[in-house]
Amino acid sequence: MSADNNTMQETDWLALISEKEPQTNSLPCLYLLFLANNTLEWTMDRTQQYNISEANLAARREVVGLDRAAIKALGRAAPWAESHARKVSKDFYDHQFSCAGPSIFFENFAAERGMAVSSLREHLESAHAEYFAQIFREATKPEPFGLAYFETRLHVGKLHNTINL
């Protein structure tokens, strides 16, 4: 897939998120639609673009101390993470909304889409809770924190960049 095709898909998604019809105001639905419209090939282009490989991911894990013991500990904590993800996310967004910069961003983002800030916050907390729990679930996989995991993080990073977060 060419860079032009990637740009077109991102532009199509931006047009969709800008619509103000009630059925398009659900951020999780829009995000899933965005992911569904972007193939693994699109993500692989991103991993290649940033020269990300299993080898340099292994080096990155070493630098941040994400060794086998740490990954095993994260995996053992997965049940705890699942049961506490909502609370962690609520606390995270309590802090985000108490800071001027993020709070203003979220208020403007909601207003531009014709949705209530409380509705946006519900979506944000839900997505963040899933992200938080996913870190721990990832640690239970046979090949944790490799290219497949990083590709999902690139999708989210690109989404955040696209909406100027």
Side-chain angles (χ1 to χ4, degrees):
M1 186 174 291
S2 73
D4 291 339
N5 286 343
N6 288 339
T7 303
M8 184 58 166
Q9 288 178 342
E10 292 158 14
T11 302
D12 291 346
W13 182 80
L14 284 172
L16 179 64
I17 197 169
S18 296
E19 293 177 12
K20 293 188 167 101
E21 299 173 35
Q23 65 268 24
T24 63
N25 281 341
S26 171
L27 291 181
C29 291
L30 288 173
Y31 181 65
L32 289 174
L33 181 61
F34 174 73
L35 291 179
N37 287 328
N38 289 280
T39 64
L40 182 60
E41 182 181 25
W42 180 85
T43 339
M44 290 300 294
D45 288 347
R46 294 290 183 215
T47 9
Q48 291 169 0
Q49 177 184 354
Y50 296 117
N51 194 30
I52 298 165
S53 66
E54 288 291 352
N56 64 33
L57 283 178
R60 292 168 193 237
R61 287 190 300 270
E62 180 183 7
V63 167
V64 299
L66 193 56
D67 59 13
R68 288 179 193 236
I71 291 171
K72 195 172 187 176
L74 284 171
R76 284 192 310 267
W80 172 88
E82 293 287 343
S83 66
H84 288 79
R86 288 245 175 232
K87 172 70 169 122
V88 168
S89 295
K90 182 188 177 313
D91 291 349
F92 175 77
Y93 280 103
D94 283 348
H95 176 70
Q96 292 294 304
F97 277 85
S98 74
C99 298
S103 183
I104 291 169
F105 173 84
F106 293 134
E107 288 169 7
N108 290 339
F109 187 89
E112 288 169 6
R113 282 143 189 88
M115 64 189 307
V117 174
S118 61
S119 178
L120 173 62
R121 183 169 172 159
E122 286 175 28
H123 293 305
L124 292 169
E125 286 184 18
S126 178
H128 187 267
E130 176 57 29
Y131 161 68
F132 178 79
Q134 180 57 38
I135 294 168
F136 295 84
R137 284 194 301 266
E138 181 67 23
T140 67
K141 293 183 177 179
E143 299 293 323
F145 302 106
L147 279 175
Y149 177 78
F150 201 78
E151 288 165 0
T152 65
R153 303 317 318 147
L154 284 174
H155 269 301
V156 173
K158 180 65 177 174
L159 173 63
H160 287 172
N161 188 56
T162 301
I163 65 170
N164 293 320
L165 181 59

